[in-house]
Amino acid sequence: MKIHITAVIKAKTEYREQVKAVLLNMVSETKKEPACLQYDLHQDISDLNTFVFYEIWNDKQGLDSHNQQPYIKEFGTLIDVKLQEQPIILLTQKI
């Protein structure tokens, strides 16, 4: 079963460009993963500190593998210091 994810990430203003660079690296690396069907990054027009990922994964095993990649772990180091709050991550299925 395919897994659809929407993730909302809110950077602190002073770290916005650094967070954005890490997120863009995640996009380029993640798109190389075989289980990744879609991995799009968006930036809110009215609040440039807000980023939204829309992802589609082939299966849970591929998503689990993705979450162990070094570029995802690098993002994890930003959460407590450079983000306004914990990311909101919604795992969904298409109906």
Side-chain angles (χ1 to χ4, degrees):
M1 171 176 58
K2 291 184 177 121
I3 300 170
H4 298 247
I5 296 176
T6 302
V8 179
I9 298 152
K10 294 184 178 187
K12 292 180 180 174
T13 302
E14 63 270 28
Y15 296 114
R16 177 176 56 228
E17 292 306 314
Q18 185 178 359
V19 169
K20 184 177 180 178
V22 170
L23 299 178
L24 288 170
N25 181 59
M26 288 168 51
V27 170
S28 64
E29 293 300 316
T30 297
K31 286 186 173 185
K32 298 174 189 174
E33 295 180 45
C36 177
L37 302 176
Q38 186 170 342
Y39 200 80
D40 297 329
L41 177 62
H42 303 262
Q43 189 171 22
D44 190 308
I45 293 170
S46 62
D47 177 3
L48 296 178
N49 295 324
T50 300
F51 299 91
V52 179
F53 274 109
Y54 180 70
E55 311 170 24
I56 302 175
W57 293 90
N58 197 44
D59 53 33
K60 184 177 181 324
Q61 181 180 1
L63 177 58
D64 290 345
S65 173
H66 165 71
N67 287 330
Q68 298 305 311
Q69 299 305 313
Y71 40 91
I72 301 305
K73 291 183 178 190
E74 177 188 8
F75 169 72
T77 66
L78 303 178
I79 293 174
D80 290 333
V81 176
K82 298 181 180 173
L83 300 185
Q84 295 178 29
E85 58 191 42
Q86 289 287 318
I88 297 168
I89 300 176
L90 304 171
L91 277 71
T92 62
Q93 60 186 358
K94 190 173 181 178
I95 55 172

